[in-house]
Amino acid sequence: MAARLKVFVTSDGLTDYVIATSSKAKALAAWGSHQDLFKTGLARETDDPELVKAATAKPEEVLRKPAGSRAELAKLKPAKRPKPKGPTPAQLKRVAELERRLGDLDRDYAKAIDRLEQQRAAVERELEAAKARHHDQRRKLEAQLSSAREALG
């Protein structure tokens, strides 16, 4: 069974906003209000037959007319819907692209670090081998020098 529709009215001083919906909370959401206009007295339920007829013909749609006027209800127009909250598809796509690029950058950096670590390990092995060769050659030459000096006298 469908919820019984009630007609609610609020005004910003220039325009009256009318909606037929099942609850005050839904009316506030449709008006884009973040405060309880019913509690402050700025909104109310109405039983005005003309407003009820026009609003129930277009349930869940905010209708508007000049404030305080008895303008013909045929002139009621749908209010502009507020922009949907949340990111747009273009924003989501941009974020996904930037996340992908960041992931690629991190992956490439990790590969470069691994490659450089391998090169560093090879250089360190080569350095140790060069030190060992130098030490062996120096020891041999020092022994030869010592023998040559003893032969001198």
Side-chain angles (χ1 to χ4, degrees):
M1 181 172 138
R4 176 172 131 16
L5 293 179
K6 300 174 190 174
V7 179
F8 302 102
V9 180
T10 190
S11 179
D12 63 4
L14 299 174
T15 305
D16 289 338
Y17 298 93
V18 182
I19 186 167
T21 188
S22 60
S23 70
K24 291 179 180 179
K26 287 183 179 179
L28 291 170
W31 291 327
S33 177
H34 297 292
Q35 67 180 14
D36 188 351
L37 300 176
F38 294 98
K39 188 174 183 178
T40 61
L42 296 174
R44 62 183 164 70
E45 186 174 352
T46 185
D47 57 356
D48 182 320
E50 292 179 26
L51 293 178
V52 169
K53 182 178 178 183
T56 54
K58 296 181 180 181
E60 306 293 331
E61 188 172 320
V62 178
L63 304 173
R64 62 186 179 170
K65 69 178 180 82
S69 76
R70 298 302 288 168
E72 290 185 27
L73 294 175
K75 293 183 181 178
L76 291 173
K77 299 176 186 174
K80 292 181 182 176
R81 293 264 183 205
K83 288 185 177 180
K85 294 187 174 161
T88 65
Q91 290 170 324
L92 291 172
K93 183 178 177 182
R94 173 141 173 83
V95 167
E97 173 64 17
L98 290 171
E99 286 173 344
R100 183 195 62 77
R101 289 176 52 195
L102 185 60
D104 290 348
L105 179 69
D106 288 345
R107 187 192 68 242
D108 293 345
Y109 174 75
K111 284 181 181 178
I113 292 298
D114 286 343
R115 187 183 78 251
L116 292 171
E117 287 290 336
Q118 290 172 358
Q119 289 174 352
R120 183 177 71 170
V123 167
E124 286 176 355
R125 284 190 303 271
E126 190 176 327
L127 179 62
E128 288 301 317
K131 284 180 182 179
R133 279 191 311 272
H134 172 75
H135 180 69
D136 287 344
Q137 290 174 354
R138 182 171 178 90
R139 189 176 37 83
K140 288 178 185 175
L141 285 175
E142 284 177 347
Q144 290 174 1
L145 178 60
S146 179
S147 294
R149 283 187 179 155
E150 284 180 16
L152 287 177

